[in-house]
Amino acid sequence: MCAGTLDRAARAALDGVFDPELDQPITDLGFVRSVETTADGALTVRLRLPTSFCSPNFAYLMASDAKDALTALPQAREVVVLLDDHHDSELINRGLAADAGYRGTFGDEADEDLEALRRTFRRKAHAAAMERALTALLRENPELSEDELHGITLADLPETPTTWALRRRRETLGLSVAPAAEVLVDDDGLPYPSQEIPVRLRFARSVRLSIEGNAHFCRGLLRTRYPESAADQSPRVHDAGAASPAGSTGSSVKLRTTAGEVKPV
């Protein structure tokens, strides 16, 4: 097997690994420091973070997700993921090498459920994705008011990367992606009452701005700590590079006036 083939496959796999807090691919953020491969299928990836004191649970979650994505590659015979220059690098790297899991790595310090933390971040990412999709819809339809967003369904959204990203965020939470599913929903997929739509949209906007602001700050910190990382960072246009679903044209769809029923998943 050609080492270059494994290198390309590894980088493609890492494109699908997101920083849990910033909701951006670690490759776009510049968090992948290096990828080393051999002809016999050995793969070593080194990761880096903006500071040495980034939260250990976030750091472990990112590194663990990266190892899982790489281990799934059929070409990879051996996978090593290393986190560089973190105050818990030695502990995290030892745990990753032993496949010890979060609690096995941190022992008594692991005082929270990592899956619960992951779900919290996924809910925030979903809130931000909802806001992006609905704000884009309002901009494209000036006659539409915020109050009229009640009853807007996934079928009413244009087939754009923003909409596809929203569907993916819903899928990760187990929420309905049926065309009749309403867009602005709570964490359980239940639509908000019509009178709450403006305030819920503003709250989702605050979540989105917080995520994007943190990501911008972390990108800058990384470039300060590792000046060479600037070449590895990709300009962030949310999910603009996402592949179009089969059969979609990217054109807008006409707004429908009826709202579909949403059932909790």
Side-chain angles (χ1 to χ4, degrees), residues 10-20 23-29 31-32 47 61-70 118:
R11 293 181 187 276
L14 292 171
D15 283 339
V17 178
F18 280 57
D19 178 283
D23 191 37
Q24 294 185 16
I26 60 174
T27 46
D28 284 3
L29 291 163
F31 290 176
V32 178
L47 304 176
L61 190 56
M62 177 193 71
S64 178
D65 286 351
K67 185 174 183 181
D68 288 345
L70 297 168
R118 189 193 300 274

PDB file of all heavy atoms in Angstrom, residues 10-20 23-29 31-32 47 61-70 118:
ATOM      1  N   ALA A  10      -6.353   9.446   5.800  1.00  0.00           N
ATOM      2  CA  ALA A  10      -6.302   9.914   7.183  1.00  0.00           C
ATOM      3  C   ALA A  10      -6.765  11.361   7.285  1.00  0.00           C
ATOM      4  O   ALA A  10      -7.549  11.724   8.173  1.00  0.00           O
ATOM      5  CB  ALA A  10      -4.887   9.767   7.733  1.00  0.00           C
ATOM      6  N   ARG A  11      -6.293  12.190   6.371  1.00  0.00           N
ATOM      7  CA  ARG A  11      -6.685  13.602   6.417  1.00  0.00           C
ATOM      8  C   ARG A  11      -8.170  13.774   6.125  1.00  0.00           C
ATOM      9  O   ARG A  11      -8.842  14.620   6.715  1.00  0.00           O
ATOM     10  CB  ARG A  11      -5.828  14.415   5.445  1.00  0.00           C
ATOM     11  CG  ARG A  11      -4.360  14.479   5.871  1.00  0.00           C
ATOM     12  CD  ARG A  11      -3.508  15.311   4.916  1.00  0.00           C
ATOM     13  NE  ARG A  11      -2.094  15.220   5.269  1.00  0.00           N
ATOM     14  CZ  ARG A  11      -1.508  15.966   6.199  1.00  0.00           C
ATOM     15  NH1 ARG A  11      -2.225  16.868   6.875  1.00  0.00           N
ATOM     16  NH2 ARG A  11      -0.218  15.835   6.457  1.00  0.00           N
ATOM     17  N   ALA A  12      -8.690  12.956   5.217  1.00  0.00           N
ATOM     18  CA  ALA A  12     -10.131  13.006   4.937  1.00  0.00           C
ATOM     19  C   ALA A  12     -10.934  12.580   6.162  1.00  0.00           C
ATOM     20  O   ALA A  12     -11.977  13.170   6.476  1.00  0.00           O
ATOM     21  CB  ALA A  12     -10.463  12.117   3.743  1.00  0.00           C
ATOM     22  N   ALA A  13     -10.453  11.553   6.874  1.00  0.00           N
ATOM     23  CA  ALA A  13     -11.140  11.104   8.086  1.00  0.00           C
ATOM     24  C   ALA A  13     -11.114  12.194   9.158  1.00  0.00           C
ATOM     25  O   ALA A  13     -12.111  12.417   9.862  1.00  0.00           O
ATOM     26  CB  ALA A  13     -10.491   9.830   8.614  1.00  0.00           C
ATOM     27  N   LEU A  14      -9.994  12.884   9.278  1.00  0.00           N
ATOM     28  CA  LEU A  14      -9.874  13.952  10.285  1.00  0.00           C
ATOM     29  C   LEU A  14     -10.746  15.147   9.943  1.00  0.00           C
ATOM     30  O   LEU A  14     -11.116  15.923  10.836  1.00  0.00           O
ATOM     31  CB  LEU A  14      -8.416  14.370  10.422  1.00  0.00           C
ATOM     32  CG  LEU A  14      -7.491  13.308  11.036  1.00  0.00           C
ATOM     33  CD1 LEU A  14      -6.031  13.732  10.915  1.00  0.00           C
ATOM     34  CD2 LEU A  14      -7.858  13.053  12.499  1.00  0.00           C
ATOM     35  N   ASP A  15     -11.081  15.321   8.671  1.00  0.00           N
ATOM     36  CA  ASP A  15     -12.013  16.389   8.286  1.00  0.00           C
ATOM     37  C   ASP A  15     -13.366  16.210   8.971  1.00  0.00           C
ATOM     38  O   ASP A  15     -14.113  17.172   9.147  1.00  0.00           O
ATOM     39  CB  ASP A  15     -12.230  16.397   6.766  1.00  0.00           C
ATOM     40  CG  ASP A  15     -11.060  17.014   6.010  1.00  0.00           C
ATOM     41  OD1 ASP A  15     -10.283  17.773   6.626  1.00  0.00           O
ATOM     42  OD2 ASP A  15     -10.934  16.737   4.793  1.00  0.00           O
ATOM     43  N   GLY A  16     -13.683  14.967   9.320  1.00  0.00           N
ATOM     44  CA  GLY A  16     -14.965  14.694   9.961  1.00  0.00           C
ATOM     45  C   GLY A  16     -14.918  14.734  11.468  1.00  0.00           C
ATOM     46  O   GLY A  16     -15.936  14.466  12.129  1.00  0.00           O
ATOM     47  N   VAL A  17     -13.767  15.079  12.049  1.00  0.00           N
ATOM     48  CA  VAL A  17     -13.633  15.186  13.503  1.00  0.00           C
ATOM     49  C   VAL A  17     -13.773  16.650  13.889  1.00  0.00           C
ATOM     50  O   VAL A  17     -12.998  17.500  13.437  1.00  0.00           O
ATOM     51  CB  VAL A  17     -12.272  14.646  13.987  1.00  0.00           C
ATOM     52  CG1 VAL A  17     -12.136  14.814  15.494  1.00  0.00           C
ATOM     53  CG2 VAL A  17     -12.131  13.174  13.595  1.00  0.00           C
ATOM     54  N   PHE A  18     -14.745  16.954  14.728  1.00  0.00           N
ATOM     55  CA  PHE A  18     -15.038  18.335  15.101  1.00  0.00           C
ATOM     56  C   PHE A  18     -14.552  18.615  16.520  1.00  0.00           C
ATOM     57  O   PHE A  18     -14.641  17.757  17.401  1.00  0.00           O
ATOM     58  CB  PHE A  18     -16.537  18.603  15.033  1.00  0.00           C
ATOM     59  CG  PHE A  18     -17.059  18.874  13.653  1.00  0.00           C
ATOM     60  CD1 PHE A  18     -16.873  17.957  12.623  1.00  0.00           C
ATOM     61  CD2 PHE A  18     -17.737  20.048  13.367  1.00  0.00           C
ATOM     62  CE1 PHE A  18     -17.340  18.191  11.352  1.00  0.00           C
ATOM     63  CE2 PHE A  18     -18.218  20.302  12.090  1.00  0.00           C
ATOM     64  CZ  PHE A  18     -18.024  19.371  11.074  1.00  0.00           C
ATOM     65  N   ASP A  19     -14.032  19.827  16.710  1.00  0.00           N
ATOM     66  CA  ASP A  19     -13.790  20.266  18.074  1.00  0.00           C
ATOM     67  C   ASP A  19     -15.140  20.310  18.773  1.00  0.00           C
ATOM     68  O   ASP A  19     -16.088  20.932  18.263  1.00  0.00           O
ATOM     69  CB  ASP A  19     -13.145  21.657  18.082  1.00  0.00           C
ATOM     70  CG  ASP A  19     -12.910  22.177  19.484  1.00  0.00           C
ATOM     71  OD1 ASP A  19     -13.885  22.623  20.119  1.00  0.00           O
ATOM     72  OD2 ASP A  19     -11.761  22.143  19.950  1.00  0.00           O
ATOM     73  N   PRO A  20     -15.292  19.668  19.922  1.00  0.00           N
ATOM     74  CA  PRO A  20     -16.619  19.555  20.540  1.00  0.00           C
ATOM     75  C   PRO A  20     -17.220  20.889  20.961  1.00  0.00           C
ATOM     76  O   PRO A  20     -18.441  21.052  20.928  1.00  0.00           O
ATOM     77  CB  PRO A  20     -16.367  18.661  21.759  1.00  0.00           C
ATOM     78  CG  PRO A  20     -14.906  18.798  22.035  1.00  0.00           C
ATOM     79  CD  PRO A  20     -14.250  18.982  20.697  1.00  0.00           C
ATOM     80  N   ASP A  23     -17.379  23.427  17.332  1.00  0.00           N
ATOM     81  CA  ASP A  23     -18.215  22.911  16.248  1.00  0.00           C
ATOM     82  C   ASP A  23     -17.605  23.198  14.876  1.00  0.00           C
ATOM     83  O   ASP A  23     -18.294  23.609  13.949  1.00  0.00           O
ATOM     84  CB  ASP A  23     -19.628  23.499  16.332  1.00  0.00           C
ATOM     85  CG  ASP A  23     -20.598  22.794  15.390  1.00  0.00           C
ATOM     86  OD1 ASP A  23     -20.474  21.572  15.240  1.00  0.00           O
ATOM     87  OD2 ASP A  23     -21.472  23.471  14.796  1.00  0.00           O
ATOM     88  N   GLN A  24     -16.308  23.009  14.773  1.00  0.00           N
ATOM     89  CA  GLN A  24     -15.613  23.136  13.504  1.00  0.00           C
ATOM     90  C   GLN A  24     -14.638  21.970  13.361  1.00  0.00           C
ATOM     91  O   GLN A  24     -14.131  21.456  14.364  1.00  0.00           O
ATOM     92  CB  GLN A  24     -14.854  24.467  13.429  1.00  0.00           C
ATOM     93  CG  GLN A  24     -15.761  25.686  13.411  1.00  0.00           C
ATOM     94  CD  GLN A  24     -14.976  26.981  13.220  1.00  0.00           C
ATOM     95  OE1 GLN A  24     -13.818  26.968  12.819  1.00  0.00           O
ATOM     96  NE2 GLN A  24     -15.611  28.102  13.520  1.00  0.00           N
ATOM     97  N   PRO A  25     -14.347  21.538  12.133  1.00  0.00           N
ATOM     98  CA  PRO A  25     -13.394  20.436  11.945  1.00  0.00           C
ATOM     99  C   PRO A  25     -12.014  20.805  12.491  1.00  0.00           C
ATOM    100  O   PRO A  25     -11.551  21.933  12.308  1.00  0.00           O
ATOM    101  CB  PRO A  25     -13.359  20.255  10.421  1.00  0.00           C
ATOM    102  CG  PRO A  25     -14.638  20.848   9.930  1.00  0.00           C
ATOM    103  CD  PRO A  25     -14.937  21.994  10.846  1.00  0.00           C
ATOM    104  N   ILE A  26     -11.364  19.852  13.116  1.00  0.00           N
ATOM    105  CA  ILE A  26     -10.043  20.139  13.674  1.00  0.00           C
ATOM    106  C   ILE A  26      -9.033  20.435  12.572  1.00  0.00           C
ATOM    107  O   ILE A  26      -8.032  21.111  12.815  1.00  0.00           O
ATOM    108  CB  ILE A  26      -9.550  18.990  14.578  1.00  0.00           C
ATOM    109  CG1 ILE A  26      -9.437  17.666  13.810  1.00  0.00           C
ATOM    110  CG2 ILE A  26     -10.469  18.832  15.777  1.00  0.00           C
ATOM    111  CD1 ILE A  26      -8.824  16.532  14.628  1.00  0.00           C
ATOM    112  N   THR A  27      -9.302  19.957  11.357  1.00  0.00           N
ATOM    113  CA  THR A  27      -8.415  20.277  10.240  1.00  0.00           C
ATOM    114  C   THR A  27      -8.553  21.744   9.847  1.00  0.00           C
ATOM    115  O   THR A  27      -7.552  22.409   9.560  1.00  0.00           O
ATOM    116  CB  THR A  27      -8.730  19.379   9.043  1.00  0.00           C
ATOM    117  OG1 THR A  27     -10.150  19.338   8.838  1.00  0.00           O
ATOM    118  CG2 THR A  27      -8.233  17.962   9.275  1.00  0.00           C
ATOM    119  N   ASP A  28      -9.777  22.263   9.820  1.00  0.00           N
ATOM    120  CA  ASP A  28      -9.999  23.687   9.507  1.00  0.00           C
ATOM    121  C   ASP A  28      -9.361  24.582  10.558  1.00  0.00           C
ATOM    122  O   ASP A  28      -8.849  25.663  10.250  1.00  0.00           O
ATOM    123  CB  ASP A  28     -11.494  23.993   9.425  1.00  0.00           C
ATOM    124  CG  ASP A  28     -12.131  23.506   8.136  1.00  0.00           C
ATOM    125  OD1 ASP A  28     -11.427  22.879   7.327  1.00  0.00           O
ATOM    126  OD2 ASP A  28     -13.341  23.739   7.948  1.00  0.00           O
ATOM    127  N   LEU A  29      -9.424  24.164  11.799  1.00  0.00           N
ATOM    128  CA  LEU A  29      -8.905  24.975  12.901  1.00  0.00           C
ATOM    129  C   LEU A  29      -7.380  24.977  12.960  1.00  0.00           C
ATOM    130  O   LEU A  29      -6.790  25.836  13.624  1.00  0.00           O
ATOM    131  CB  LEU A  29      -9.465  24.457  14.233  1.00  0.00           C
ATOM    132  CG  LEU A  29     -10.965  24.671  14.448  1.00  0.00           C
ATOM    133  CD1 LEU A  29     -11.470  23.777  15.579  1.00  0.00           C
ATOM    134  CD2 LEU A  29     -11.258  26.141  14.765  1.00  0.00           C
ATOM    135  N   PHE A  31      -5.681  22.304  14.125  1.00  0.00           N
ATOM    136  CA  PHE A  31      -5.308  21.517  15.302  1.00  0.00           C
ATOM    137  C   PHE A  31      -4.530  20.247  14.940  1.00  0.00           C
ATOM    138  O   PHE A  31      -3.985  19.601  15.829  1.00  0.00           O
ATOM    139  CB  PHE A  31      -6.552  21.139  16.105  1.00  0.00           C
ATOM    140  CG  PHE A  31      -7.213  22.295  16.802  1.00  0.00           C
ATOM    141  CD1 PHE A  31      -8.409  22.108  17.499  1.00  0.00           C
ATOM    142  CD2 PHE A  31      -6.666  23.566  16.777  1.00  0.00           C
ATOM    143  CE1 PHE A  31      -9.030  23.163  18.151  1.00  0.00           C
ATOM    144  CE2 PHE A  31      -7.278  24.629  17.416  1.00  0.00           C
ATOM    145  CZ  PHE A  31      -8.472  24.431  18.105  1.00  0.00           C
ATOM    146  N   VAL A  32      -4.510  19.872  13.663  1.00  0.00           N
ATOM    147  CA  VAL A  32      -3.726  18.707  13.240  1.00  0.00           C
ATOM    148  C   VAL A  32      -2.315  19.192  12.920  1.00  0.00           C
ATOM    149  O   VAL A  32      -2.097  19.910  11.943  1.00  0.00           O
ATOM    150  CB  VAL A  32      -4.351  18.018  12.020  1.00  0.00           C
ATOM    151  CG1 VAL A  32      -3.487  16.837  11.577  1.00  0.00           C
ATOM    152  CG2 VAL A  32      -5.761  17.541  12.344  1.00  0.00           C
ATOM    153  N   LEU A  47      -1.550  16.148  17.392  1.00  0.00           N
ATOM    154  CA  LEU A  47      -2.512  17.233  17.525  1.00  0.00           C
ATOM    155  C   LEU A  47      -1.931  18.341  18.395  1.00  0.00           C
ATOM    156  O   LEU A  47      -1.053  18.093  19.230  1.00  0.00           O
ATOM    157  CB  LEU A  47      -3.813  16.715  18.145  1.00  0.00           C
ATOM    158  CG  LEU A  47      -4.502  15.544  17.424  1.00  0.00           C
ATOM    159  CD1 LEU A  47      -5.714  15.083  18.221  1.00  0.00           C
ATOM    160  CD2 LEU A  47      -4.901  15.924  16.010  1.00  0.00           C
ATOM    161  N   LEU A  61     -11.633  14.416  24.485  1.00  0.00           N
ATOM    162  CA  LEU A  61     -12.742  14.109  23.592  1.00  0.00           C
ATOM    163  C   LEU A  61     -12.312  14.274  22.136  1.00  0.00           C
ATOM    164  O   LEU A  61     -12.582  13.412  21.283  1.00  0.00           O
ATOM    165  CB  LEU A  61     -13.924  15.023  23.904  1.00  0.00           C
ATOM    166  CG  LEU A  61     -15.270  14.717  23.258  1.00  0.00           C
ATOM    167  CD1 LEU A  61     -15.723  13.310  23.575  1.00  0.00           C
ATOM    168  CD2 LEU A  61     -16.309  15.729  23.721  1.00  0.00           C
ATOM    169  N   MET A  62     -11.618  15.350  21.837  1.00  0.00           N
ATOM    170  CA  MET A  62     -11.137  15.592  20.479  1.00  0.00           C
ATOM    171  C   MET A  62     -10.139  14.521  20.047  1.00  0.00           C
ATOM    172  O   MET A  62     -10.247  13.944  18.954  1.00  0.00           O
ATOM    173  CB  MET A  62     -10.498  16.973  20.393  1.00  0.00           C
ATOM    174  CG  MET A  62      -9.908  17.298  19.036  1.00  0.00           C
ATOM    175  SD  MET A  62      -8.829  18.752  19.057  1.00  0.00           S
ATOM    176  CE  MET A  62      -7.415  18.100  19.974  1.00  0.00           C
ATOM    177  N   ALA A  63      -9.167  14.242  20.893  1.00  0.00           N
ATOM    178  CA  ALA A  63      -8.137  13.263  20.548  1.00  0.00           C
ATOM    179  C   ALA A  63      -8.724  11.862  20.406  1.00  0.00           C
ATOM    180  O   ALA A  63      -8.348  11.099  19.510  1.00  0.00           O
ATOM    181  CB  ALA A  63      -7.037  13.279  21.607  1.00  0.00           C
ATOM    182  N   SER A  64      -9.649  11.516  21.281  1.00  0.00           N
ATOM    183  CA  SER A  64     -10.296  10.205  21.221  1.00  0.00           C
ATOM    184  C   SER A  64     -11.121  10.060  19.950  1.00  0.00           C
ATOM    185  O   SER A  64     -11.100   9.003  19.291  1.00  0.00           O
ATOM    186  CB  SER A  64     -11.176  10.003  22.454  1.00  0.00           C
ATOM    187  OG  SER A  64     -11.854   8.768  22.402  1.00  0.00           O
ATOM    188  N   ASP A  65     -11.854  11.103  19.583  1.00  0.00           N
ATOM    189  CA  ASP A  65     -12.637  11.065  18.343  1.00  0.00           C
ATOM    190  C   ASP A  65     -11.719  10.911  17.129  1.00  0.00           C
ATOM    191  O   ASP A  65     -12.048  10.213  16.169  1.00  0.00           O
ATOM    192  CB  ASP A  65     -13.468  12.338  18.201  1.00  0.00           C
ATOM    193  CG  ASP A  65     -14.666  12.362  19.138  1.00  0.00           C
ATOM    194  OD1 ASP A  65     -14.952  11.331  19.780  1.00  0.00           O
ATOM    195  OD2 ASP A  65     -15.316  13.422  19.243  1.00  0.00           O
ATOM    196  N   ALA A  66     -10.563  11.592  17.176  1.00  0.00           N
ATOM    197  CA  ALA A  66      -9.607  11.477  16.075  1.00  0.00           C
ATOM    198  C   ALA A  66      -9.098  10.039  15.959  1.00  0.00           C
ATOM    199  O   ALA A  66      -9.022   9.476  14.853  1.00  0.00           O
ATOM    200  CB  ALA A  66      -8.442  12.443  16.290  1.00  0.00           C
ATOM    201  N   LYS A  67      -8.772   9.423  17.077  1.00  0.00           N
ATOM    202  CA  LYS A  67      -8.280   8.041  17.025  1.00  0.00           C
ATOM    203  C   LYS A  67      -9.366   7.098  16.518  1.00  0.00           C
ATOM    204  O   LYS A  67      -9.087   6.190  15.724  1.00  0.00           O
ATOM    205  CB  LYS A  67      -7.789   7.592  18.397  1.00  0.00           C
ATOM    206  CG  LYS A  67      -7.159   6.205  18.347  1.00  0.00           C
ATOM    207  CD  LYS A  67      -6.516   5.762  19.646  1.00  0.00           C
ATOM    208  CE  LYS A  67      -5.858   4.393  19.486  1.00  0.00           C
ATOM    209  NZ  LYS A  67      -5.246   3.913  20.739  1.00  0.00           N
ATOM    210  N   ASP A  68     -10.596   7.295  16.958  1.00  0.00           N
ATOM    211  CA  ASP A  68     -11.694   6.441  16.485  1.00  0.00           C
ATOM    212  C   ASP A  68     -11.857   6.550  14.967  1.00  0.00           C
ATOM    213  O   ASP A  68     -12.063   5.538  14.275  1.00  0.00           O
ATOM    214  CB  ASP A  68     -12.999   6.832  17.174  1.00  0.00           C
ATOM    215  CG  ASP A  68     -13.040   6.419  18.635  1.00  0.00           C
ATOM    216  OD1 ASP A  68     -12.201   5.593  19.046  1.00  0.00           O
ATOM    217  OD2 ASP A  68     -13.911   6.938  19.363  1.00  0.00           O
ATOM    218  N   ALA A  69     -11.797   7.793  14.446  1.00  0.00           N
ATOM    219  CA  ALA A  69     -11.968   7.998  13.005  1.00  0.00           C
ATOM    220  C   ALA A  69     -10.844   7.341  12.216  1.00  0.00           C
ATOM    221  O   ALA A  69     -11.069   6.746  11.151  1.00  0.00           O
ATOM    222  CB  ALA A  69     -12.024   9.495  12.699  1.00  0.00           C
ATOM    223  N   LEU A  70      -9.631   7.417  12.737  1.00  0.00           N
ATOM    224  CA  LEU A  70      -8.477   6.846  12.038  1.00  0.00           C
ATOM    225  C   LEU A  70      -8.439   5.327  12.144  1.00  0.00           C
ATOM    226  O   LEU A  70      -8.077   4.629  11.194  1.00  0.00           O
ATOM    227  CB  LEU A  70      -7.189   7.446  12.599  1.00  0.00           C
ATOM    228  CG  LEU A  70      -7.036   8.957  12.396  1.00  0.00           C
ATOM    229  CD1 LEU A  70      -5.880   9.491  13.230  1.00  0.00           C
ATOM    230  CD2 LEU A  70      -6.833   9.291  10.930  1.00  0.00           C
ATOM    231  N   ARG A 118     -20.747  15.637  25.606  1.00  0.00           N
ATOM    232  CA  ARG A 118     -20.830  15.621  24.151  1.00  0.00           C
ATOM    233  C   ARG A 118     -22.227  16.045  23.690  1.00  0.00           C
ATOM    234  O   ARG A 118     -22.381  16.826  22.743  1.00  0.00           O
ATOM    235  CB  ARG A 118     -20.509  14.223  23.624  1.00  0.00           C
ATOM    236  CG  ARG A 118     -20.365  14.160  22.105  1.00  0.00           C
ATOM    237  CD  ARG A 118     -20.370  12.708  21.645  1.00  0.00           C
ATOM    238  NE  ARG A 118     -19.291  11.930  22.218  1.00  0.00           N
ATOM    239  CZ  ARG A 118     -18.074  11.863  21.699  1.00  0.00           C
ATOM    240  NH1 ARG A 118     -17.786  12.543  20.615  1.00  0.00           N
ATOM    241  NH2 ARG A 118     -17.144  11.108  22.258  1.00  0.00           N
TER     242      ARG A 118
END
